[in-house]
């Protein structure tokens, strides 16, 4: 097992073995927290509370690590990421929920390969250990049905893949989040049907499946590739980066930008937004190729490199990251937390 910080790695292995930390290890962890000032600010850690924070996180680490086999990701960075990001973020969300008189709806925005689904799954495990019933909903879960999207494609032949603005049932999303936000009565057994989507149906076009029935939810994680994204000024498309090249590309980009307006009432249901931000948006192609190659190697079907290029380009033509995500992370009124993702999928800077 490799760690970027050997002292931290050694200390986390002690915790993983179920042992108590000695004075030396506690000191190492405390110093580590305070040295990384930006991270300390994000998670409200000070010299006055650092010992208390370390003790709370250590106990939570040992509780969560018993579910390590359920983690969707287990590599040489996992324990360090668990300690430095996932656990403090889970505690932060739990504290936010405590300050509300209703369920918390936390948005998670991330492009292809940024790890938004992994983050959501691990936060569900952590928040469960903290005593908060948490569910994860993807924007994919509110896709229009297969039949509806077939009609949509006849109306607009440019909608060759599901995913861009206009392919979702926004009113369904609003209805579900409203019901979840209003389910604050822990003694109530009101059942809520959460829509779910199976991407493999109809040769990969996907369709709705039986909904998941839930009740008494504390925290909702709502994730997707353009969750929280806002329309931009029309003139920005006059000079656009690749793959928006032709006049037809620019028309498609402008039309998708207009469609985003329909999603604004849905974004209003979010209490805050976390953005998983690649240090270079072009990493998405690299990550997608790696994922497809792994699928093919395991005997499953997957796209070749040319197909991936066209696939990712399609989504960049619809909502280009430079136009829609880059400005968003500079707006503190709309984004609560930015988590940078490096080319090797490791976590970079984390900041408000």
């Amino acid at each position: 097992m490799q760690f970027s910080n050997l002292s931290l790695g050694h200390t986390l292995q002690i915790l993983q073995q179920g042992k108590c930390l000695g004075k030396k290890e506690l000191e190492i962890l405390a110093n580590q927290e305070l040295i990384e000032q930006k991270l300390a600010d994000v998670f409200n850690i000070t010299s006055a509370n650092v010992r208390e924070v370390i003790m709370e996180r250590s106990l939570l680490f040992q509780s969560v690590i018993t579910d390590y086999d359920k983690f969707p990701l287990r590599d040489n960075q996992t324990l360090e990421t668990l300690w430095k990001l996932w656990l403090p973020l889970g505690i932060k969300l739990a504290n936010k929920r405590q300050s509300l008189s209703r369920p918390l709806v936390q948005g998670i925005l991330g492009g292809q390969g940024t790890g938004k689904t992994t983050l959501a799954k691990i936060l569900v495990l952590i928040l469960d250990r903290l005593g908060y019933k948490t569910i994860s909903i993807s924007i994919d879960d509110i896709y229009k049905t297969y039949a509806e999207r077939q009609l949509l494609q006849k109306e607009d032949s440019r909608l060759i893949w599901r995913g861009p603005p206009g392919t979702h049932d926004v009113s369904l999303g609003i209805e579900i989040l409203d019901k979840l936000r209003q389910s604050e009565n822990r003694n109530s057994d009101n059942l809520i049907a959460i829509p779910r989507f199976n991407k493999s149906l109809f040769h990969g076009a996907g369709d709705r499946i039986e909904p998941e029935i839930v009740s008494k939810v504390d925290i909702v994680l709502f994730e997707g590739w353009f969750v929280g994204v806002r329309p931009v000024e029309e003139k920005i498309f006059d000079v656009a980066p690749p793959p928006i090249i032709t006049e037809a590309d620019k028309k498609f980009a402008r039309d998708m930008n207009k469609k985003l307006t329909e999603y604004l009432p849905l974004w209003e249901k979010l209490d805050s937004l976390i953005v998983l931000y690649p240090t270079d948006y072009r990493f998405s192609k690299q990550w997608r190729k790696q994922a497809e190659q792994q699928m093919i190697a395991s005997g499953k079907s997957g796209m070749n490199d040319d197909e991936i290029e066209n696939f990712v380009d399609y989504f960049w033509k619809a909502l280009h990251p430079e136009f829609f995500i880059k400005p968003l992370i500079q707006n503190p009124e709309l984004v609560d937390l930015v988590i940078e993702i490096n080319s090797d999928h490791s976590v970079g800077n984390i900041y408000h």
Side-chain angles (χ1 to χ4, degrees), residues 260-282:
L260 274 180
T261 307
E262 298 173 10
Y263 290 73
L264 295 179
L266 180 59
W267 306 157
E268 291 302 314
K269 306 300 175 185
L270 307 177
D271 291 301
S272 60
L273 183 64
I274 295 168
V275 179
L276 300 176
Y277 186 67
T279 49
D280 185 330
Y281 71 86
R282 287 165 292 201

PDB file of all heavy atoms in Angstrom, residues 260-282:
ATOM      1  N   LEU A 260     -31.402  24.639 -20.751  1.00  0.00           N
ATOM      2  CA  LEU A 260     -30.993  24.632 -19.335  1.00  0.00           C
ATOM      3  C   LEU A 260     -31.948  25.439 -18.462  1.00  0.00           C
ATOM      4  O   LEU A 260     -32.075  25.166 -17.268  1.00  0.00           O
ATOM      5  CB  LEU A 260     -29.582  25.210 -19.186  1.00  0.00           C
ATOM      6  CG  LEU A 260     -28.404  24.266 -19.366  1.00  0.00           C
ATOM      7  CD1 LEU A 260     -27.101  25.029 -19.186  1.00  0.00           C
ATOM      8  CD2 LEU A 260     -28.458  23.108 -18.379  1.00  0.00           C
ATOM      9  N   THR A 261     -32.604  26.432 -19.048  1.00  0.00           N
ATOM     10  CA  THR A 261     -33.539  27.272 -18.286  1.00  0.00           C
ATOM     11  C   THR A 261     -34.623  26.424 -17.633  1.00  0.00           C
ATOM     12  O   THR A 261     -35.072  26.716 -16.512  1.00  0.00           O
ATOM     13  CB  THR A 261     -34.181  28.327 -19.216  1.00  0.00           C
ATOM     14  OG1 THR A 261     -33.134  29.033 -19.879  1.00  0.00           O
ATOM     15  CG2 THR A 261     -35.034  29.308 -18.430  1.00  0.00           C
ATOM     16  N   GLU A 262     -35.033  25.341 -18.316  1.00  0.00           N
ATOM     17  CA  GLU A 262     -36.077  24.461 -17.775  1.00  0.00           C
ATOM     18  C   GLU A 262     -35.625  23.756 -16.497  1.00  0.00           C
ATOM     19  O   GLU A 262     -36.456  23.305 -15.708  1.00  0.00           O
ATOM     20  CB  GLU A 262     -36.460  23.408 -18.825  1.00  0.00           C
ATOM     21  CG  GLU A 262     -37.039  23.984 -20.109  1.00  0.00           C
ATOM     22  CD  GLU A 262     -37.252  22.922 -21.180  1.00  0.00           C
ATOM     23  OE1 GLU A 262     -37.120  21.705 -20.859  1.00  0.00           O
ATOM     24  OE2 GLU A 262     -37.540  23.287 -22.340  1.00  0.00           O
ATOM     25  N   TYR A 263     -34.305  23.650 -16.295  1.00  0.00           N
ATOM     26  CA  TYR A 263     -33.764  22.923 -15.143  1.00  0.00           C
ATOM     27  C   TYR A 263     -33.570  23.810 -13.913  1.00  0.00           C
ATOM     28  O   TYR A 263     -33.344  23.284 -12.817  1.00  0.00           O
ATOM     29  CB  TYR A 263     -32.421  22.272 -15.517  1.00  0.00           C
ATOM     30  CG  TYR A 263     -32.544  21.121 -16.490  1.00  0.00           C
ATOM     31  CD1 TYR A 263     -32.833  21.342 -17.840  1.00  0.00           C
ATOM     32  CD2 TYR A 263     -32.383  19.804 -16.072  1.00  0.00           C
ATOM     33  CE1 TYR A 263     -32.952  20.292 -18.741  1.00  0.00           C
ATOM     34  CE2 TYR A 263     -32.495  18.741 -16.963  1.00  0.00           C
ATOM     35  CZ  TYR A 263     -32.783  18.994 -18.296  1.00  0.00           C
ATOM     36  OH  TYR A 263     -32.902  17.944 -19.178  1.00  0.00           O
ATOM     37  N   LEU A 264     -33.658  25.124 -14.089  1.00  0.00           N
ATOM     38  CA  LEU A 264     -33.403  26.027 -12.961  1.00  0.00           C
ATOM     39  C   LEU A 264     -34.322  25.773 -11.761  1.00  0.00           C
ATOM     40  O   LEU A 264     -33.852  25.790 -10.611  1.00  0.00           O
ATOM     41  CB  LEU A 264     -33.490  27.489 -13.422  1.00  0.00           C
ATOM     42  CG  LEU A 264     -32.418  27.918 -14.432  1.00  0.00           C
ATOM     43  CD1 LEU A 264     -32.609  29.381 -14.837  1.00  0.00           C
ATOM     44  CD2 LEU A 264     -31.020  27.710 -13.873  1.00  0.00           C
ATOM     45  N   PRO A 265     -35.646  25.527 -11.955  1.00  0.00           N
ATOM     46  CA  PRO A 265     -36.496  25.220 -10.797  1.00  0.00           C
ATOM     47  C   PRO A 265     -36.059  23.950 -10.059  1.00  0.00           C
ATOM     48  O   PRO A 265     -36.256  23.824  -8.854  1.00  0.00           O
ATOM     49  CB  PRO A 265     -37.894  25.043 -11.413  1.00  0.00           C
ATOM     50  CG  PRO A 265     -37.844  25.763 -12.719  1.00  0.00           C
ATOM     51  CD  PRO A 265     -36.441  25.594 -13.207  1.00  0.00           C
ATOM     52  N   LEU A 266     -35.445  23.000 -10.793  1.00  0.00           N
ATOM     53  CA  LEU A 266     -34.930  21.780 -10.162  1.00  0.00           C
ATOM     54  C   LEU A 266     -33.696  22.102  -9.322  1.00  0.00           C
ATOM     55  O   LEU A 266     -33.566  21.638  -8.183  1.00  0.00           O
ATOM     56  CB  LEU A 266     -34.591  20.744 -11.243  1.00  0.00           C
ATOM     57  CG  LEU A 266     -34.034  19.398 -10.783  1.00  0.00           C
ATOM     58  CD1 LEU A 266     -35.001  18.672  -9.852  1.00  0.00           C
ATOM     59  CD2 LEU A 266     -33.690  18.515 -11.988  1.00  0.00           C
ATOM     60  N   TRP A 267     -32.801  22.917  -9.859  1.00  0.00           N
ATOM     61  CA  TRP A 267     -31.597  23.295  -9.101  1.00  0.00           C
ATOM     62  C   TRP A 267     -31.958  24.079  -7.832  1.00  0.00           C
ATOM     63  O   TRP A 267     -31.212  24.034  -6.853  1.00  0.00           O
ATOM     64  CB  TRP A 267     -30.648  24.142  -9.936  1.00  0.00           C
ATOM     65  CG  TRP A 267     -30.190  23.631 -11.274  1.00  0.00           C
ATOM     66  CD1 TRP A 267     -29.738  24.402 -12.304  1.00  0.00           C
ATOM     67  CD2 TRP A 267     -30.090  22.278 -11.751  1.00  0.00           C
ATOM     68  NE1 TRP A 267     -29.385  23.627 -13.387  1.00  0.00           N
ATOM     69  CE2 TRP A 267     -29.584  22.317 -13.075  1.00  0.00           C
ATOM     70  CE3 TRP A 267     -30.385  21.030 -11.190  1.00  0.00           C
ATOM     71  CZ2 TRP A 267     -29.368  21.170 -13.827  1.00  0.00           C
ATOM     72  CZ3 TRP A 267     -30.172  19.885 -11.953  1.00  0.00           C
ATOM     73  CH2 TRP A 267     -29.674  19.953 -13.231  1.00  0.00           C
ATOM     74  N   GLU A 268     -33.091  24.775  -7.853  1.00  0.00           N
ATOM     75  CA  GLU A 268     -33.516  25.541  -6.662  1.00  0.00           C
ATOM     76  C   GLU A 268     -33.804  24.623  -5.473  1.00  0.00           C
ATOM     77  O   GLU A 268     -33.829  25.075  -4.328  1.00  0.00           O
ATOM     78  CB  GLU A 268     -34.766  26.372  -6.986  1.00  0.00           C
ATOM     79  CG  GLU A 268     -34.528  27.522  -7.951  1.00  0.00           C
ATOM     80  CD  GLU A 268     -33.473  28.500  -7.461  1.00  0.00           C
ATOM     81  OE1 GLU A 268     -33.531  28.888  -6.285  1.00  0.00           O
ATOM     82  OE2 GLU A 268     -32.576  28.854  -8.261  1.00  0.00           O
ATOM     83  N   LYS A 269     -34.030  23.363  -5.728  1.00  0.00           N
ATOM     84  CA  LYS A 269     -34.311  22.399  -4.649  1.00  0.00           C
ATOM     85  C   LYS A 269     -33.031  21.938  -3.938  1.00  0.00           C
ATOM     86  O   LYS A 269     -33.105  21.281  -2.904  1.00  0.00           O
ATOM     87  CB  LYS A 269     -35.056  21.166  -5.202  1.00  0.00           C
ATOM     88  CG  LYS A 269     -36.329  21.489  -5.973  1.00  0.00           C
ATOM     89  CD  LYS A 269     -37.348  22.219  -5.128  1.00  0.00           C
ATOM     90  CE  LYS A 269     -38.555  22.643  -5.936  1.00  0.00           C
ATOM     91  NZ  LYS A 269     -39.494  23.469  -5.137  1.00  0.00           N
ATOM     92  N   LEU A 270     -31.860  22.262  -4.511  1.00  0.00           N
ATOM     93  CA  LEU A 270     -30.588  21.881  -3.888  1.00  0.00           C
ATOM     94  C   LEU A 270     -30.249  22.844  -2.763  1.00  0.00           C
ATOM     95  O   LEU A 270     -30.384  24.054  -2.910  1.00  0.00           O
ATOM     96  CB  LEU A 270     -29.455  21.896  -4.923  1.00  0.00           C
ATOM     97  CG  LEU A 270     -29.650  21.083  -6.213  1.00  0.00           C
ATOM     98  CD1 LEU A 270     -28.457  21.286  -7.137  1.00  0.00           C
ATOM     99  CD2 LEU A 270     -29.843  19.607  -5.904  1.00  0.00           C
ATOM    100  N   ASP A 271     -29.792  22.311  -1.635  1.00  0.00           N
ATOM    101  CA  ASP A 271     -29.354  23.178  -0.537  1.00  0.00           C
ATOM    102  C   ASP A 271     -27.943  23.694  -0.770  1.00  0.00           C
ATOM    103  O   ASP A 271     -27.604  24.796  -0.350  1.00  0.00           O
ATOM    104  CB  ASP A 271     -29.418  22.413   0.796  1.00  0.00           C
ATOM    105  CG  ASP A 271     -30.850  22.138   1.207  1.00  0.00           C
ATOM    106  OD1 ASP A 271     -31.609  23.114   1.363  1.00  0.00           O
ATOM    107  OD2 ASP A 271     -31.230  20.963   1.334  1.00  0.00           O
ATOM    108  N   SER A 272     -27.105  22.904  -1.417  1.00  0.00           N
ATOM    109  CA  SER A 272     -25.756  23.343  -1.771  1.00  0.00           C
ATOM    110  C   SER A 272     -25.224  22.436  -2.868  1.00  0.00           C
ATOM    111  O   SER A 272     -25.845  21.426  -3.212  1.00  0.00           O
ATOM    112  CB  SER A 272     -24.827  23.334  -0.555  1.00  0.00           C
ATOM    113  OG  SER A 272     -24.721  22.037  -0.011  1.00  0.00           O
ATOM    114  N   LEU A 273     -24.079  22.822  -3.423  1.00  0.00           N
ATOM    115  CA  LEU A 273     -23.526  22.099  -4.570  1.00  0.00           C
ATOM    116  C   LEU A 273     -22.030  21.851  -4.379  1.00  0.00           C
ATOM    117  O   LEU A 273     -21.271  22.768  -4.063  1.00  0.00           O
ATOM    118  CB  LEU A 273     -23.758  22.916  -5.851  1.00  0.00           C
ATOM    119  CG  LEU A 273     -23.311  22.287  -7.175  1.00  0.00           C
ATOM    120  CD1 LEU A 273     -24.115  21.024  -7.480  1.00  0.00           C
ATOM    121  CD2 LEU A 273     -23.458  23.290  -8.326  1.00  0.00           C
ATOM    122  N   ILE A 274     -21.639  20.600  -4.577  1.00  0.00           N
ATOM    123  CA  ILE A 274     -20.222  20.205  -4.604  1.00  0.00           C
ATOM    124  C   ILE A 274     -19.848  19.967  -6.063  1.00  0.00           C
ATOM    125  O   ILE A 274     -20.591  19.313  -6.789  1.00  0.00           O
ATOM    126  CB  ILE A 274     -19.992  18.904  -3.799  1.00  0.00           C
ATOM    127  CG1 ILE A 274     -20.280  19.132  -2.311  1.00  0.00           C
ATOM    128  CG2 ILE A 274     -18.575  18.383  -3.993  1.00  0.00           C
ATOM    129  CD1 ILE A 274     -20.356  17.839  -1.500  1.00  0.00           C
ATOM    130  N   VAL A 275     -18.706  20.506  -6.489  1.00  0.00           N
ATOM    131  CA  VAL A 275     -18.247  20.298  -7.861  1.00  0.00           C
ATOM    132  C   VAL A 275     -16.966  19.472  -7.853  1.00  0.00           C
ATOM    133  O   VAL A 275     -15.988  19.836  -7.196  1.00  0.00           O
ATOM    134  CB  VAL A 275     -17.987  21.643  -8.585  1.00  0.00           C
ATOM    135  CG1 VAL A 275     -17.486  21.387 -10.010  1.00  0.00           C
ATOM    136  CG2 VAL A 275     -19.256  22.484  -8.627  1.00  0.00           C
ATOM    137  N   LEU A 276     -16.981  18.341  -8.577  1.00  0.00           N
ATOM    138  CA  LEU A 276     -15.773  17.546  -8.816  1.00  0.00           C
ATOM    139  C   LEU A 276     -15.174  18.077 -10.112  1.00  0.00           C
ATOM    140  O   LEU A 276     -15.767  17.928 -11.186  1.00  0.00           O
ATOM    141  CB  LEU A 276     -16.131  16.064  -8.938  1.00  0.00           C
ATOM    142  CG  LEU A 276     -16.812  15.454  -7.698  1.00  0.00           C
ATOM    143  CD1 LEU A 276     -17.218  14.022  -7.969  1.00  0.00           C
ATOM    144  CD2 LEU A 276     -15.904  15.518  -6.484  1.00  0.00           C
ATOM    145  N   TYR A 277     -14.012  18.724 -10.003  1.00  0.00           N
ATOM    146  CA  TYR A 277     -13.482  19.536 -11.094  1.00  0.00           C
ATOM    147  C   TYR A 277     -12.139  19.015 -11.586  1.00  0.00           C
ATOM    148  O   TYR A 277     -11.125  19.175 -10.896  1.00  0.00           O
ATOM    149  CB  TYR A 277     -13.348  20.986 -10.609  1.00  0.00           C
ATOM    150  CG  TYR A 277     -12.950  21.973 -11.675  1.00  0.00           C
ATOM    151  CD1 TYR A 277     -13.807  22.270 -12.726  1.00  0.00           C
ATOM    152  CD2 TYR A 277     -11.711  22.619 -11.629  1.00  0.00           C
ATOM    153  CE1 TYR A 277     -13.458  23.180 -13.706  1.00  0.00           C
ATOM    154  CE2 TYR A 277     -11.344  23.528 -12.607  1.00  0.00           C
ATOM    155  CZ  TYR A 277     -12.224  23.803 -13.643  1.00  0.00           C
ATOM    156  OH  TYR A 277     -11.869  24.705 -14.622  1.00  0.00           O
ATOM    157  N   PRO A 278     -12.088  18.379 -12.776  1.00  0.00           N
ATOM    158  CA  PRO A 278     -10.794  17.926 -13.300  1.00  0.00           C
ATOM    159  C   PRO A 278      -9.883  19.125 -13.548  1.00  0.00           C
ATOM    160  O   PRO A 278     -10.348  20.167 -14.037  1.00  0.00           O
ATOM    161  CB  PRO A 278     -11.160  17.250 -14.626  1.00  0.00           C
ATOM    162  CG  PRO A 278     -12.633  17.035 -14.582  1.00  0.00           C
ATOM    163  CD  PRO A 278     -13.191  18.092 -13.698  1.00  0.00           C
ATOM    164  N   THR A 279      -8.613  18.992 -13.219  1.00  0.00           N
ATOM    165  CA  THR A 279      -7.681  20.102 -13.455  1.00  0.00           C
ATOM    166  C   THR A 279      -7.541  20.384 -14.954  1.00  0.00           C
ATOM    167  O   THR A 279      -7.119  21.464 -15.346  1.00  0.00           O
ATOM    168  CB  THR A 279      -6.298  19.799 -12.827  1.00  0.00           C
ATOM    169  OG1 THR A 279      -5.891  18.488 -13.230  1.00  0.00           O
ATOM    170  CG2 THR A 279      -6.367  19.853 -11.312  1.00  0.00           C
ATOM    171  N   ASP A 280      -7.939  19.422 -15.796  1.00  0.00           N
ATOM    172  CA  ASP A 280      -8.057  19.626 -17.245  1.00  0.00           C
ATOM    173  C   ASP A 280      -9.261  18.810 -17.706  1.00  0.00           C
ATOM    174  O   ASP A 280      -9.281  17.586 -17.553  1.00  0.00           O
ATOM    175  CB  ASP A 280      -6.787  19.162 -17.956  1.00  0.00           C
ATOM    176  CG  ASP A 280      -6.795  19.467 -19.460  1.00  0.00           C
ATOM    177  OD1 ASP A 280      -7.885  19.503 -20.060  1.00  0.00           O
ATOM    178  OD2 ASP A 280      -5.694  19.651 -20.027  1.00  0.00           O
ATOM    179  N   TYR A 281     -10.269  19.474 -18.247  1.00  0.00           N
ATOM    180  CA  TYR A 281     -11.514  18.777 -18.600  1.00  0.00           C
ATOM    181  C   TYR A 281     -11.285  17.662 -19.618  1.00  0.00           C
ATOM    182  O   TYR A 281     -12.057  16.709 -19.702  1.00  0.00           O
ATOM    183  CB  TYR A 281     -12.566  19.774 -19.119  1.00  0.00           C
ATOM    184  CG  TYR A 281     -12.277  20.363 -20.487  1.00  0.00           C
ATOM    185  CD1 TYR A 281     -12.671  19.708 -21.654  1.00  0.00           C
ATOM    186  CD2 TYR A 281     -11.612  21.580 -20.624  1.00  0.00           C
ATOM    187  CE1 TYR A 281     -12.418  20.250 -22.899  1.00  0.00           C
ATOM    188  CE2 TYR A 281     -11.338  22.124 -21.868  1.00  0.00           C
ATOM    189  CZ  TYR A 281     -11.747  21.456 -23.002  1.00  0.00           C
ATOM    190  OH  TYR A 281     -11.483  21.990 -24.241  1.00  0.00           O
ATOM    191  N   ARG A 282     -10.187  17.758 -20.372  1.00  0.00           N
ATOM    192  CA  ARG A 282      -9.909  16.746 -21.405  1.00  0.00           C
ATOM    193  C   ARG A 282      -9.524  15.388 -20.822  1.00  0.00           C
ATOM    194  O   ARG A 282      -9.471  14.387 -21.542  1.00  0.00           O
ATOM    195  CB  ARG A 282      -8.817  17.260 -22.346  1.00  0.00           C
ATOM    196  CG  ARG A 282      -9.325  18.366 -23.277  1.00  0.00           C
ATOM    197  CD  ARG A 282      -8.203  19.112 -23.928  1.00  0.00           C
ATOM    198  NE  ARG A 282      -7.457  19.910 -22.959  1.00  0.00           N
ATOM    199  CZ  ARG A 282      -6.696  20.961 -23.285  1.00  0.00           C
ATOM    200  NH1 ARG A 282      -6.594  21.325 -24.549  1.00  0.00           N
ATOM    201  NH2 ARG A 282      -6.040  21.622 -22.346  1.00  0.00           N
TER     202      ARG A 282
END
